[in-house]
Amino acid sequence: MTFLANMDRRRGEILRGLFADLIPDLEVVLAGEDFDQAAVRYMLTWSVPEDIKIGWPALEVIFSLGAGADQFNMAELPDSVPVVRLVADDHAAMMREYITMAVLALHRDLPGYIDQQKHQVWQQVSVPPPAADRRVGVMGLGHLGRSALDALAPFGFTLSGWARSPHDIASVTTFHGENGLGPFLAQADILICLLPLTDSTKDILNAGLFDQLPPSAALVHAGRGQQLDHEALITALNSGKLRSAVIDVTNPEPLPKEHPFWNDPRIILTPHIACITRIEACIPVVCENIQRHRRGETLDYVVNPALGY
């Protein structure tokens, strides 16, 4: 019985050491090592081998090396093999930190001050309104979205959220569905995207959406790269519809050297670091799921193939 960790060797060795303590009878092999492919029962990976349907006869569970699984084409995976997403308590903590940093930076016009520093300009960019008068809206009300709202609450922002289905969150005005999207956008001075990637959310951050925001709104994008229309964002910044943005995810990653995001003073660009997977924080949950599988129990955090999360 074998567990394949398809990842870089440094993190793989950490994983192997943790497994030795938690499930000592399970053989752990790393990508690049010699192993019996036909004996692999569990696989932890970001991408799957091309022969996943025919070359891995013992495979019973695929663990995604990420908080979601939208990088997989579910149609290419064996129907009988569930995909389990990676979960760690510090994912939500890291996202709370990032969203708080980004919202405060936009609230206090940090992109403008960063640009002024480059040009040795010493002057006030703007007079920000009190936090209570700044309306912050979160798209995506799953675990990460709710955690972000909790982190922002102490600052006094007027908070709202939008999702496909209804939610009830204390001290947060919630909207849902297609009919609720327009009213939600119309009152979001700072828009935060934490949506999962689905067919309906691909390219959702487009010109039509930006047109529904209040004048001089700002954007924090930490969802998925395929959700943002880059050209539409630049157009919205140039027209004044948006005043600034903090972008953590793009498509592709990394961006080409000539891409306008690199040098736009209105954009703070980070290299997909809002949530960084620390393998040591995730392995206890993976091991518990393996033990559940061995006992014939239902697995936690199984991905819905139709949604990818």
Side-chain angles (χ1 to χ4, degrees), residues 152-171:
L152 294 171
F155 294 96
F157 294 111
T158 300
L159 300 175
S160 63
W162 177 86
R164 292 290 174 183
S165 56
H167 291 261
D168 185 9
I169 305 173
S171 302

Side-chain angles (χ1 to χ4, degrees), residues 199-282:
D199 288 343
S200 61
T201 66
K202 186 177 181 181
D203 295 322
I204 192 170
L205 300 175
N206 55 34
L209 182 143
F210 295 147
D211 284 344
Q212 297 178 71
L213 293 170
S216 298
L219 172 68
V220 178
H221 183 32
R224 290 291 187 266
Q226 297 93 322
Q227 293 165 338
L228 175 62
D229 182 331
H230 293 192
E231 185 175 345
L233 175 59
I234 294 296
T235 299
L237 289 167
N238 289 340
S239 70
K241 171 54 69 174
L242 292 178
R243 58 185 173 85
S244 51
V246 176
I247 306 297
D248 186 56
V249 289
T250 62
N251 183 34
E253 293 181 355
L255 291 172
K257 290 183 178 180
E258 67 278 7
H259 197 283
F261 284 10
W262 287 115
N263 298 308
D264 194 312
R266 301 161 296 187
I267 296 175
I268 294 177
L269 184 65
T270 55
H272 203 149
I273 49 81
C275 282
I276 301 172
T277 298
R278 292 192 313 113
I279 200 65
E280 57 269 36
C282 302

Side-chain angles (χ1 to χ4, degrees), residues 34-215:
D34 291 330
F35 61 90
D36 181 5
Q37 186 169 306
V40 173
R41 189 174 180 184
Y42 306 103
M43 179 186 297
L44 173 64
T45 187
W46 178 257
S47 59
V48 296
E50 292 184 359
D51 63 345
I52 190 67
K53 281 192 172 182
I54 60 175
W56 305 78
L59 187 63
E60 296 187 28
V61 183
I62 295 172
F63 292 92
S64 170
L65 190 59
D70 49 66
Q71 76 275 20
F72 296 138
N73 182 344
M74 294 297 177
E76 296 178 354
L77 304 183
D79 294 336
S80 61
V81 178
V83 175
V84 178
R85 59 190 177 86
L86 213 57
V87 173
D89 290 340
D90 62 354
H91 277 166
M94 293 185 79
M95 185 60 79
R96 286 196 298 268
E97 294 169 358
Y98 185 91
I99 295 301
T100 300
M101 173 194 73
V103 168
L104 291 177
L106 296 174
H107 174 55
R108 296 300 300 267
D109 293 307
L110 186 61
Y113 291 109
I114 292 174
D115 185 52
Q116 285 191 169
Q117 180 182 354
K118 294 177 182 177
H119 298 92
Q120 299 181 1
V121 174
W122 186 276
Q123 67 181 31
Q124 183 173 294
V125 171
S126 66
V127 179
D133 294 339
R134 186 81 84 182
R135 300 166 298 178
V136 179
V138 176
M139 299 180 75
L141 297 177
H143 182 49
L144 295 181
R146 286 173 174 259
S147 293
L149 288 164
D150 287 343
L152 294 171
F155 294 96
F157 294 111
T158 300
L159 300 175
S160 63
W162 177 86
R164 292 290 174 183
S165 56
H167 291 261
D168 185 9
I169 305 173
S171 302
V172 177
T173 303
T174 57
F175 303 80
H176 70 276
E178 292 297 330
N179 292 336
L181 182 57
F184 163 76
L185 294 171
Q187 51 83 72
D189 299 315
I190 299 177
L191 177 67
I192 302 167
C193 180
L194 291 174
L195 291 167
L197 181 63
T198 66
D199 288 343
S200 61
T201 66
K202 186 177 181 181
D203 295 322
I204 192 170
L205 300 175
N206 55 34
L209 182 143
F210 295 147
D211 284 344
Q212 297 178 71
L213 293 170

